[in-house]
Amino acid sequence: MAVAARKIDTEYVYAGSPAMRVYTHRAPRTEETPAVQQQEQAQPAAKPVHSYSLIQKLLTTCAVLAAAAAILLVMVRYADIAAQYAVVNQHKITIEENSRTLAELEVRLNSAVSLEEAREAALAAGLGYPAASQIVSIDGTGAGSWSSSQ
């Protein structure tokens, strides 16, 4: 910042304002100088910087810690929500895979041979219902017996 100063009796002072001084221990020579000095003497001494009491310091510290704890809880909750979203997305992927498999099986079922077509193909190949000699009866003991009705 540029400062306009002039030399008065081997002392430098601001050229524009008598209240501001640079490199001097005395006020510049003007008519306003006694009024400024009287105002300075009339003002009481500056109060010392206000120091906080122990309770104020404690309350401030508790407020900062409470705010930090609240932020930490919010962050933990967001992490939990993100983990739950990951589980939900995994279930969605599983559901989509099952839906594709089901659609594929429905296509196979719809393209499979109908029962009427199977009967016609069996009759054309000479297949028929089993004869009485081909029927096996099963009793409850698990041993099978051939029925021989000829």
Side-chain angles (χ1 to χ4, degrees):
M1 176 165 98
V3 176
R6 67 175 190 257
K7 187 175 183 180
I8 299 176
D9 295 333
T10 68
E11 294 179 359
Y12 291 95
V13 295
Y14 279 109
S17 171
M20 297 182 180
R21 294 174 284 171
V22 176
Y23 304 119
T24 182
H25 297 289
R26 67 173 181 85
R29 296 177 194 166
T30 62
E31 296 130 12
E32 299 174 8
T33 304
V36 171
Q37 288 176 353
Q38 288 175 357
Q39 289 176 357
E40 289 177 3
Q41 290 175 357
Q43 294 176 351
K47 293 182 181 178
V49 177
H50 178 55
S51 63
Y52 294 106
S53 68
L54 181 62
I55 294 175
Q56 288 175 333
K57 290 179 183 178
L58 182 64
L59 288 176
T60 303
T61 304
C62 288
V64 169
L65 290 176
I71 291 171
L72 184 64
L73 288 174
V74 168
M75 290 174 58
V76 167
R77 183 66 182 141
Y78 273 120
D80 187 38
I81 290 171
Q84 294 299 322
Y85 271 122
V87 170
V88 168
N89 289 335
Q90 185 63 38
H91 288 307
K92 283 182 181 180
I93 291 171
T94 304
I95 289 171
E96 289 174 2
E97 289 175 359
N98 290 341
S99 297
R100 282 192 295 260
T101 304
L102 183 62
E104 181 182 332
L105 291 174
E106 285 178 355
V107 167
R108 285 185 186 176
L109 180 65
N110 290 337
S111 65
V113 178
S114 69
L115 187 58
E116 295 297 327
E117 291 175 354
R119 282 186 189 157
E120 290 174 3
L123 290 176
L127 299 176
Y129 289 101
S133 62
Q134 296 174 328
I135 298 175
V136 177
S137 61
I138 300 174
D139 58 1
T141 61
S145 63
W146 290 93
S147 55
S148 56
S149 56
Q150 296 177 352

